[in-house]
Amino acid sequence: MIRLHALAFVSILSTMPILAQGIGNIQAQARNGQVFITWNEKDLPPNATIAIYHDKKPINNIANARLLAKDILPGSARNWWKDSRSFNPNKPDPNYKPTGFIIENNTKPLDPNTGLHVHTVDEQTSGAAFFAVAWDKQLIATSNPINAKQERVSPVWTGSEPAPEKDCAKGKALRLVLHGRGGGGVSNTNYTFFANKEQGWREGLAFDFKVNFGKDVVDIVPMDRTWINRFVKESADSRDHCNAINSWWFGYNTNINETTNTPEIIVDNYTQKWILAVLDWANEYLGTDPNRNYLTGGSMGGSASIAFGLQFPERFAALYAMVPVYEYTWEGCSTSKSLTAARLACACGPMKTTTAKMTNGQNVLDYMNGRLNIANAKADTPPIFATNGRKDASIPWNNNPGFYDEANKARQAFAVFWNDGNHGMTSQAPDDVKAWNSHIFKYALNKSFPAFSNSSDNKNYGNGTPEDGDLVGWINRGMDWINLIDTKDKYQITIIANYPGIVYPINVDVTLRRRQQFLPKPGDKLSLDINGKTQAFTMPNDAILTIPRVAITSPEGTTIIITK
């Protein structure tokens, strides 16, 4: 097969009939910031690769045209999300009938035997532009210019009922629900998002998600799978031996469509980028409240919640993470043979022997290190509510205490419950801990809250070895607040602590986070009143307002009033 660069000297116009073997009948439509390009195919070899080009002038050859995408396989209009063979080729569905992608709301799927590419309009393709599809010695091009413009990209509605209308979820909270490593295969989704060139190893990749509209909360359930044209046979995880791999809700080797065994491992957080784009769309189009975006998930999804929340603290109000990884290391421990960094290595490359770097040069393991991220946070991080099991065979316990230490030292909002259970331990947690899943909705990006540290009620999580620490324990369990007032001259809050079996008194340091109006400067003289007892207080130089050793002696709590 002739390489694509040879196409500069060849031209077959779209007006010609399709050949006995080849491509033809190119069509292009522009809407919602994207151009949807389709074409017919006949008898292409399975290993054929197709490329997409653009020019402001009619395209007769590709000498001066701009390459938009390459390595597109035949039958790219087939919706691989609906095909079980994409995820488990060893167990094909005998009743499977291929279907095509839906590229416009409330329309029929494309013919799965045809081609599709979705280009996200950029500065160069905005306005009148021509597009072309190239394979081997063939080139088909649009005969008329396509008028497109840069604007917010909208995912395509694939549900059977009418597409949701703009502002249909006005003012509701939005919760991202992130699945575990085994999920993300054939599923009942109702939106497809076609990514731009920054959100995948090539532009036009399709990502599915589902939107559930509740009374007060909209749940977005994305699927963490990426089509990469091949089986990742070099991966130690057999679940990557398919064409659609998990990315740990993060990203992968920029060369993943060819190999992850690259001499230099360069990784981009593609998955985080497309999910944040969907979040922006939901806040803008569905009308959800951008101050009330939340994260929840278990296992890989819980790990991603920790990463997202600490890497993008300005986007999320709070999160609930079940059995998450906090820190990715190669060290094993006696309670687990899993090496947590190996989970990232499946999509990134041989990270144990080669340092993997982000596209900006940052070490990948540092970027994903929750312990470092919370210790070095420059802003108020989203409150984290989490569960962990000391005998979890997937999430080594020995990595957890370091994160607990740093969260406490950083005076960021964090609560955790652990027991001597395994990966499914959350189901054994007390009811008040399970209620954290809904407690997160108390938080908002435009509202202040207290963070608790050094509580006398905290249990001993030990040093990470199986024999050290309490088998069942918690940090900041039952800590809460009521009656918060945040004005220019006054901050008032009542701190409470309560759960079944609690023993008073409890002493805890209280840090007032996300203050909106009460913003004294370092060195300002303040008046501090705790349950009616007044004392002088000076605003610290770091501008972090912490009241140490607040005593809580009853379920009614302790009231703190600070005035200028």
Side-chain angles (χ1 to χ4, degrees):
M1 184 175 69
I2 297 176
R3 302 296 294 177
L4 288 174
H5 61 259
L7 289 166
F9 307 103
V10 183
S11 172
I12 298 180
L13 299 179
S14 60
T15 55
M16 296 183 65
I18 191 166
L19 304 178
Q21 180 189 42
I23 56 177
N25 190 30
I26 185 174
Q27 303 287 330
Q29 302 174 353
R31 58 181 169 271
N32 299 323
Q34 294 185 311
V35 179
F36 296 80
I37 306 165
T38 59
W39 60 92
N40 291 340
E41 299 174 352
K42 186 174 182 181
D43 298 332
L44 295 183
N47 63 344
T49 57
I50 294 166
I52 310 296
Y53 290 87
H54 151 266
D55 203 338
K56 287 293 185 179
K57 303 184 296 295
I59 303 174
N60 296 315
N61 61 64
I62 63 169
N64 297 313
R66 173 191 174 201
L67 176 66
L68 296 179
K70 63 178 182 176
D71 295 329
I72 299 170
L73 298 182
S76 52
R78 177 182 70 92
N79 188 346
W80 55 269
W81 285 101
K82 305 299 182 185
D83 185 350
S84 61
R85 295 173 299 181
S86 301
F87 312 100
N88 193 341
N90 296 321
K91 294 182 180 180
D93 181 357
N95 299 316
Y96 165 71
K97 183 179 180 180
T99 186
F101 281 110
I102 294 174
I103 59 172
E104 188 171 8
N105 294 350
N106 297 117
T107 60
K108 294 181 179 180
L110 298 174
D111 180 343
N113 298 309
T114 59
L116 167 69
H117 179 70
V118 181
H119 166 67
T120 300
V121 181
D122 56 24
E123 186 174 344
Q124 290 178 268
T125 53
S126 181
F130 296 83
F131 295 88
V133 179
W135 169 69
D136 197 29
K137 297 181 180 181
Q138 295 188 25
L139 178 72
I140 56 174
T142 56
S143 55
N144 295 313
I146 307 302
N147 286 297
K149 62 180 179 178
Q150 288 180 279
E151 56 184 331
R152 171 81 67 198
V153 169
S154 294
V156 179
W157 173 255
T158 60
S160 56
E161 61 272 21
E165 297 181 355
K166 184 172 174 58
D167 291 332
C168 63
K170 190 71 173 177
K172 292 184 178 181
L174 185 152
R175 174 170 53 190
L176 281 177
V177 182
L178 307 179
H179 63 72
R181 177 123 169 101
V186 177
S187 57
N188 180 26
T189 54
N190 52 22
Y191 273 105
T192 298
F193 178 83
F194 292 97
N196 66 25
K197 63 182 180 181
E198 305 298 328
Q199 297 161 347
W201 62 269
R202 69 160 172 85
E203 71 165 17
L205 296 174
F207 297 100
D208 267 18
F209 63 95
K210 185 171 185 177
V211 178
N212 295 316
F213 294 90
K215 180 182 178 182
D216 301 309
V217 181
V218 173
D219 282 336
I220 291 185
V221 188
M223 300 289 107
D224 180 26
R225 292 280 186 163
T226 299
W227 182 264
I228 58 167
N229 283 2
R230 69 183 187 93
F231 293 4
V232 186
K233 287 294 189 181
E234 67 271 21
S235 170
D237 193 326
S238 61
R239 283 173 287 190
D240 288 330
H241 300 165
C242 65
N243 286 330
I245 67 159
N246 291 119
S247 71
W248 206 264
W249 297 110
F250 159 58
Y252 43 86
N253 194 309
T254 57
N255 196 56
I256 197 167
N257 62 307
E258 295 182 13
T259 182
T260 59
N261 284 331
T262 48
E264 184 179 21
I265 301 175
I266 304 298
V267 175
D268 206 340
N269 59 329
Y270 297 121
T271 304
Q272 290 184 334
K273 290 177 180 178
W274 78 257
I275 289 177
L276 290 175
V278 167
L279 187 73
D280 288 338
W281 163 80
N283 290 157
E284 181 180 297
Y285 181 81
L286 299 180
T288 54
D289 185 350
N291 287 307
R292 294 193 296 146
N293 294 326
Y294 305 91
L295 288 159
T296 64
S299 189
M300 182 179 77
S303 306
S305 297
I306 298 292
F308 261 121
L310 295 179
Q311 291 157 357
F312 304 96
E314 74 284 359
R315 304 299 297 275
F316 300 101
L319 63 92
Y320 175 49
M322 295 169 283
V323 292
V325 172
Y326 303 100
E327 180 178 3
Y328 295 80
T329 65
W330 287 103
E331 292 79 13
C333 70
S334 58
T335 60
S336 173
K337 295 182 179 179
S338 296
L339 303 174
T340 53
R343 305 305 178 92
L344 294 176
C346 293
C348 295
M351 297 167 62
K352 191 172 184 179
T353 56
T354 305
T355 299
K357 296 181 179 180
M358 306 287 289
T359 53
N360 65 0
Q362 183 181 6
N363 185 298
V364 168
L365 295 183
D366 286 347
Y367 178 80
M368 295 296 287
N369 190 324
R371 178 179 57 82
L372 294 179
N373 289 339
I374 202 166
N376 299 325
K378 304 301 182 184
D380 298 329
T381 60
I384 296 171
F385 297 87
T387 57
N388 287 110
R390 293 177 61 102
K391 291 182 178 176
D392 191 331
S394 297
I395 312 297
W397 172 257
N398 65 326
N399 281 354
N400 298 346
F403 180 84
Y404 303 165
D405 278 341
E406 294 301 334
N408 185 71
K409 291 176 185 177
R411 294 173 286 171
Q412 299 284 3
F414 173 66
V416 64
F417 174 86
W418 69 85
N419 63 20
D420 204 32
N422 55 26
H423 203 51
M425 59 74 58
T426 305
S427 63
Q428 306 157 7
D431 289 344
D432 62 292
V433 170
K434 293 177 182 177
W436 287 346
N437 188 41
S438 57
H439 178 70
I440 59 175
F441 297 122
K442 186 172 183 176
Y443 297 85
L445 287 171
N446 61 349
K447 293 181 180 179
S448 184
F449 65 87
F452 306 105
S453 54
N454 300 319
S455 172
S456 61
D457 187 58
N458 290 348
K459 305 308 175 186
N460 178 20
Y461 45 78
N463 59 16
T465 60
E467 63 277 1
D468 191 46
D470 296 327
L471 296 184
V472 177
W474 51 84
I475 298 172
N476 297 327
R477 180 184 175 189
M479 301 301 302
D480 203 351
W481 83 96
I482 55 175
N483 303 330
L484 191 152
I485 299 172
D486 180 0
T487 68
K488 181 180 179 181
D489 297 315
K490 176 182 178 180
Y491 193 105
Q492 178 174 324
I493 190 171
T494 298
I495 304 299
I496 58 177
N498 201 5
Y499 62 83
I502 192 170
V503 177
Y504 299 105
I506 290 173
N507 293 296
V508 63
D509 296 346
V510 179
T511 301
L512 306 178
R513 294 287 183 179
R514 280 190 197 145
R515 286 174 287 114
Q516 302 296 302
Q517 297 186 56
F518 189 74
L519 303 171
K521 298 177 182 179
D524 281 358
K525 303 302 181 182
L526 309 173
S527 176
L528 171 63
D529 181 299
I530 300 179
N531 273 359
K533 296 181 179 180
T534 304
Q535 57 184 290
F537 187 86
T538 302
M539 189 66 182
N541 291 332
D542 60 7
I544 299 176
L545 209 170
T546 299
I547 300 95
R549 304 295 293 172
V550 176
I552 305 171
T553 60
S554 70
E556 286 70 35
T558 298
T559 297
I560 300 169
I561 302 174
I562 309 174
T563 54
K564 289 187 177 179

